[in-house]
Amino acid sequence: MADSTARVARADALAIEAADLHKHYGSVEALRGLSLQVAPGSIHGFLGRNGAGKTTTIKVLSTLLRPTRGVARVLGLDVVREAAEVRRR
C-alpha cells in the first residue's frame, strides 16, 4: 500500500529537481551549488561555457555519477537512493 501511495505522490513531482548539488573530483569542483526545477512536459536548454558542469550535471541526473553533496530527483525519485528506478523510467 505504501508503494502505491508513493507512486501517486510522484505523479505530481517535478520532472527534474536539484538542490545545492555539488560534485568534486579531488580538489576540482565540477559543480558548485546547482539548484534547478524543471516542470513535467517542459523543454529546457542547458547552456554554458566549457567546464561549467553541464555534462557532470547530466551524468548525476542520469545516475552515472553520484553527487558529492546536495539532492537530485528525477520524477520524484532520488538519483542516489533510487538509481535503478530512475534508470528504469
Side-chain angles (χ1 to χ4, degrees):
M1 188 73 160
D3 187 53
S4 64
T5 303
R7 290 181 193 274
V8 170
R10 290 179 182 152
D12 294 334
L14 291 167
I16 299 170
E17 180 179 14
D20 196 32
L21 203 58
H22 291 254
K23 179 62 181 174
H24 298 161
Y25 297 99
S27 63
V28 176
E29 193 172 40
L31 286 177
R32 184 184 312 150
L34 174 74
S35 295
L36 64 94
Q37 295 181 337
V38 177
S42 62
I43 298 172
H44 291 265
F46 207 59
L47 305 173
R49 61 176 173 72
N50 289 345
K54 300 176 300 290
T55 300
T56 300
T57 301
I58 298 302
K59 285 183 176 182
V60 168
L61 293 173
S62 62
T63 75
L64 296 174
L65 289 175
R66 293 174 67 105
T68 304
R69 191 170 89 214
V71 176
R73 292 185 186 88
V74 175
L75 301 174
L77 301 166
D78 186 281
V79 298
V80 173
R81 289 182 293 121
E82 300 171 288
E85 184 65 14
V86 170
R87 288 189 299 272
R88 190 182 78 74
R89 290 191 183 203

